[in-house]
Amino acid sequence: MSDVFDAPVVPRVPVAGSADTFPVRRIYCVGRNYVEHAIEMGHTGREAPFFFLKPADAVLPVAAGEEGAMRYPGLTASLHHEIELVAAIGKGGRNIPAAQALAHVWGYAVGLDMTRRDLQNDMKKQGRPWCIAKGFEQSAPIGPITPAQAAPGVLDAPIELLVNGQPRQASRTSRLIWSLAEVIEHLSAAWELAPGDLIFTGTPEGVGAVQPGDRLLGRIEGLSELRLRVTPQE
Ligand code: MN
């Protein structure tokens, strides 16, 4: 017996300072995990963490020193940037207690949870799933993954996004409502985590729209930066 067509290629993210790559299994995302962003989206900032997923092949890996290119997607007039700290899982498990959670993290990267905000707002209004707003191709641009031991300060570091050189989002990763360890505890109660899982931990305030031609620069101190250009719709 054989496959009826070539098996899909496993998406891979470069590892910082190495020729190695990190194969991606799943992409989990945390909704509204910074107080000021929850408020700007019309919420109180005091709710239990909740999750959504993107398909693994939504990653748009960008190597160190390179600028990625993201096509402006269809069906939207409001493509929003959300800069996020991404945790890359190296050791799986279920029901992982927060106290042990960070031992499951292989490394960290700068990521963008790109969102078709107009579609998300429509789906919210109608009580429908967010998939079409969050899980489309190239919706998860990500920079190189830095091994955890090489990024000791990343859970209390400045996080920022600039568009065409202008600051749009700026905060600290320590301002997460639910810390990464708590996120992993909640997430692993709902799904069995496995090596290759990425967790987008939520975005700070200042989300906004980008246009074709815009250049994005995402930074978290201690990690490899993420550069991205938005290209015209094809
Ligand atoms: Mn997000």
Side-chain angles (χ1 to χ4, degrees):
M1 291 206 292
S2 60
D3 288 338
V4 297
F5 50 80
D6 291 343
V9 173
V10 174
R12 291 176 164 81
V13 178
V15 170
S18 158
D20 292 345
T21 53
F22 182 95
V24 179
R25 189 185 80 120
R26 291 182 184 167
I27 304 173
Y28 295 101
C29 302
V30 187
R32 299 192 285 264
N33 202 20
Y34 285 79
V35 171
E36 297 302 323
H37 173 62
I39 291 170
E40 78 181 349
M41 299 305 285
H43 298 269
T44 64
R46 280 190 293 276
E47 58 186 341
F50 69 95
F51 306 101
F52 57 91
L53 288 95
K54 296 183 188 245
D57 65 355
V59 288
L60 172 55
V62 182
E66 292 187 2
E67 182 180 57
M70 178 186 181
R71 282 184 313 276
Y72 196 94
L75 303 183
T76 186
S78 185
L79 177 66
H80 270 210
H81 55 75
E82 296 191 357
I83 182 78
E84 307 200 4
L85 171 67
V86 180
I89 296 296
K91 183 180 144 199
R94 284 187 295 122
N95 298 314
I96 301 164
Q100 279 142 49
L102 296 185
H104 292 254
V105 176
W106 189 88
Y108 297 95
V110 178
L112 282 161
D113 167 15
M114 299 302 287
T115 303
R116 296 195 274 210
R117 191 72 73 200
D118 40 6
L119 288 181
Q120 186 193 27
N121 290 340
D122 288 350
M123 294 300 116
K124 280 182 184 172
K125 257 182 241 152
Q126 300 180 64
R128 290 180 178 171
W130 291 7
C131 312
I132 197 169
K134 290 288 196 178
F136 53 96
E137 290 81 24
Q138 301 188 319
S139 62
I142 183 170
I145 297 174
T146 299
Q149 66 272 18
V154 77
L155 298 180
D156 183 14
I159 176 171
E160 63 173 352
L161 180 79
L162 294 87
V163 178
N164 302 324
Q166 300 302 309
R168 289 275 190 94
Q169 295 185 266
S171 187
R172 290 189 75 85
T173 55
S174 51
R175 292 179 59 82
L176 288 171
I177 296 170
W178 298 93
S179 70
L180 175 60
E182 292 167 331
V183 162
I184 290 172
E185 179 174 303
H186 280 88
L187 197 53
S188 67
W191 289 273
E192 180 168 358
L193 296 183
D197 290 344
L198 298 177
I199 304 172
F200 280 63
T201 57
T203 197
E205 65 276 16
V207 300
V210 293
Q211 307 298 333
D214 283 349
R215 306 182 100 101
L216 285 63
L217 170 58
R219 285 196 197 117
I220 297 172
E221 197 175 280
L223 300 182
S224 193
E225 63 187 25
L226 170 60
R227 287 179 185 274
L228 187 74
R229 178 176 81 252
V230 181
T231 64
Q233 203 172 334
E234 283 162 7

